[in-house]
Amino acid sequence: MMRLPWFEYRAPRSLAEAARILAGEGPAAMLIAGGTDLLPNMKRRHQSPATLVSLRRVEELKKTANGSGLNLGAGLTLTEVTAIAAVKESYRGLWQAAAQVATPHIRNMGTLGGNLCLDTRCTYYNQNYEWRKAIDYCMKVDGTVCWVATASKRCLAVSSTDTAPVLISLGARVKLVSASGEREVALADLYRNDGIAYLARKPEEIVTDVLLPPSDGWKSTYWKLRRRGSFDFPVLGVAAAVKRARDGTVEDAKLVLGAVSSHPLSIKAGDVLVGKKLTDDVIAQIGDLAESRAKPMDNTDLDLRWRKHVVADFVGYALKELRGDDMSAPRLRTARQVL
Ligand SMILES: Cc1cc2nc3c(=O)[nH]c(=O)nc-3n(C[C@H](O)[C@H](O)[C@H](O)COP(=O)(O)OP(=O)(O)OC[C@H]3O[C@@H](n4cnc5c(N)ncnc54)[C@H](O)[C@@H]3O)c2cc1C
Ligand code: SF4
């Protein structure tokens, strides 16, 4: 049985108190929201924080505001996010992504903020302590070498969050609060292409809000590839959002890939799609571009070359859905598995 290391547990009741504790404890403290990722990681000794600062009792993080756009509290569970009518109606890709994270039990505990700050993953890292010790660890924790690419100077662990690619495609921003103030950044700028320092968040900062612009004619979708349809992390995520004129001409488009890099990978879809209709030829063109940009590594489930190859197919499924095609054919349902 894997046991948790010892830690001090703090349970603030307000955001100000949480920020104050986090600043006071320094980098030895970590935030915990649902704990669905952090606690298993602590059992495997990926992280051993001296103090956990819990966000579960901080009501300010659980608010939703629907005005110009949609403001989602980072402390909302993924189940709560999927229950918000505005998410289902106007930000469909987010609804699909949140509804496909893990299992219902995990979505009942796991939060939106925790999903955005999810640790990067790798076959050589998501193992217990003894397993990692037997290979002399790796660069991400306790070691010096990257076993995925021994010449690599940086960790290539994979960004595996389902909601981040969609939220980036929707133009979301996030608010970060610390004891010394607050700032707002485009969600895309929260991520770094580095498996270790994967977040541009300071240790004392708390992600408090996800700010979505008005949906304003945008349509979005999320297609996820994984081995088991009701459980697994993505080995590929395709988030697509398009805004089209009445005649179907694309006015703007965003395409973001998940699980093919250490950060959500934005593809310059607008360069190919704007001013055109979503014909099969145009969709094939953007699919080929996305496939050429995706550089999955051999550090997650399923065959590396096949994962790269199906990027074009999944981009095609996403854009055909946004074009209005019926995507309920059994083969396609299997590709996405739900929704
Ligand atoms: C079996 C299993 C399957 C899973 N499948 C998926 C999947 O398919 N897709 C997927 O995306 N995830 C998956 N997960 C991972 C995880 O359950 C989810 O990502 C969940 O949303 C994490 O949220 P949490 O609140 O539990 O985060 P926690 O575990 O509490 O925290 C995760 C990280 O985020 C930090 N953090 C949490 N909240 C904040 C905040 N407000 N501000 C700053 N930092 C914060 C923590 O310090 C920690 O580093 C899976 C987990 C398990 C165990
Ligand atoms: S990509 Fe390399 S350094 Fe990063 S977790 Fe995997 S083996 Fe370790």
Side-chain angles (χ1 to χ4, degrees):
M1 183 175 67
M2 290 193 290
R3 289 179 189 279
L4 282 167
W6 288 102
F7 57 88
E8 190 179 339
Y9 185 74
R10 307 288 298 271
R13 287 180 181 270
S14 72
L15 185 57
E17 193 188 350
R20 203 166 49 242
I21 297 172
L22 201 55
E25 296 288 329
M30 282 187 81
L31 293 168
I32 181 164
T36 60
D37 192 58
L38 182 58
L39 293 176
N41 281 1
M42 285 173 63
K43 287 183 177 179
R44 294 185 292 242
R45 303 301 187 264
H46 294 148
Q47 289 99 29
S48 303
T51 305
L52 286 184
V53 183
S54 172
L55 298 175
R56 292 202 67 191
R57 294 182 182 190
V58 180
E59 289 302 319
E60 290 128 293
L61 297 178
K62 295 176 187 162
K63 292 193 178 130
T64 308
N66 200 346
S68 148
L70 183 63
N71 182 349
L72 298 172
L76 291 169
T77 65
L78 295 167
T79 300
E80 286 166 343
V81 169
T82 55
I84 297 169
V87 171
K88 191 163 186 179
E89 282 154 23
S90 308
Y91 305 96
R92 180 87 185 164
L94 173 60
W95 185 82
Q96 289 166 329
Q100 290 183 84
V101 171
T103 64
H105 294 90
I106 291 174
R107 293 195 294 274
N108 287 343
M109 289 296 291
T111 63
L112 184 58
N115 192 248
L116 295 180
C117 298
L118 184 67
D119 196 5
T120 52
R121 296 179 60 78
C122 171
T123 320
Y124 296 90
Y125 171 69
N126 295 101
Q127 304 289 350
N128 65 36
Y129 182 80
E130 287 70 26
W131 194 102
R132 292 191 296 113
K133 188 178 174 192
I135 59 160
D136 200 18
Y137 311 101
C138 78
M139 194 194 291
K140 187 158 157 75
V141 177
D142 300 325
T144 51
V145 175
C146 173
W147 295 114
V148 175
T150 47
S152 179
K153 296 223 178 328
R154 81 175 169 84
C155 165
L156 303 163
V158 184
S159 168
S160 304
T161 149
D162 277 308
T163 61
V166 166
L167 284 166
I168 292 171
S169 77
L170 292 167
R173 299 178 67 76
V174 282
K175 192 157 120 187
L176 296 141
V177 172
S178 70
S180 52
E182 60 181 61
R183 66 185 174 116
E184 212 183 282
V185 296
L187 178 61
D189 295 337
L190 186 67
Y191 298 102
R192 292 187 181 137
N193 194 14
D194 183 322
I196 297 172
Y198 60 96
L199 288 180
R201 160 192 166 259
K202 296 179 199 140
E204 70 275 17
E205 285 181 323
I206 303 170
V207 176
T208 60
D209 298 86
V210 175
L211 311 156
L212 281 155
S215 55
D216 199 20
W218 283 85
K219 297 255 180 284
S220 61
T221 185
Y222 181 69
W223 281 71
K224 172 172 177 173
L225 173 66
R226 56 181 160 177
R227 188 180 288 269
R228 295 169 295 181
S230 61
F231 203 113
D232 288 325
F233 283 89
V235 290
L236 169 66
V238 172
V242 293
K243 187 170 178 181
R244 292 193 298 161
R246 274 177 185 278
D247 69 353
T249 306
V250 175
E251 293 176 337
D252 205 349
K254 299 274 188 298
L255 183 63
V256 185
L257 306 182
V260 292
S261 169
S262 296
H263 67 159
L265 181 69
S266 292
I267 308 292
K268 288 192 172 153
D271 293 356
V272 176
L273 298 179
V274 170
K276 298 189 186 136
K277 295 197 172 153
L278 291 176
T279 61
D280 286 351
D281 284 350
V282 168
I283 289 175
Q285 206 185 328
I286 187 75
D288 289 345
L289 172 69
E291 185 180 325
S292 71
R293 291 283 323 280
K295 303 267 184 300
M297 303 300 293
D298 197 8
N299 59 352
T300 183
D301 195 14
L302 302 178
D303 178 76
L304 166 69
R305 280 148 304 183
W306 183 75
R307 274 163 44 219
K308 182 169 169 65
H309 180 64
V310 295
V311 170
D313 294 329
F314 273 65
V315 168
Y317 300 152
L319 289 174
K320 284 176 185 166
E321 182 187 343
L322 294 177
R323 180 172 77 179
D325 289 17
D326 176 11
M327 303 307 284
S328 61
R331 192 175 68 82
L332 295 174
R333 271 212 313 270
T334 308
R336 185 161 59 180
Q337 279 142 349
V338 271
L339 319 175

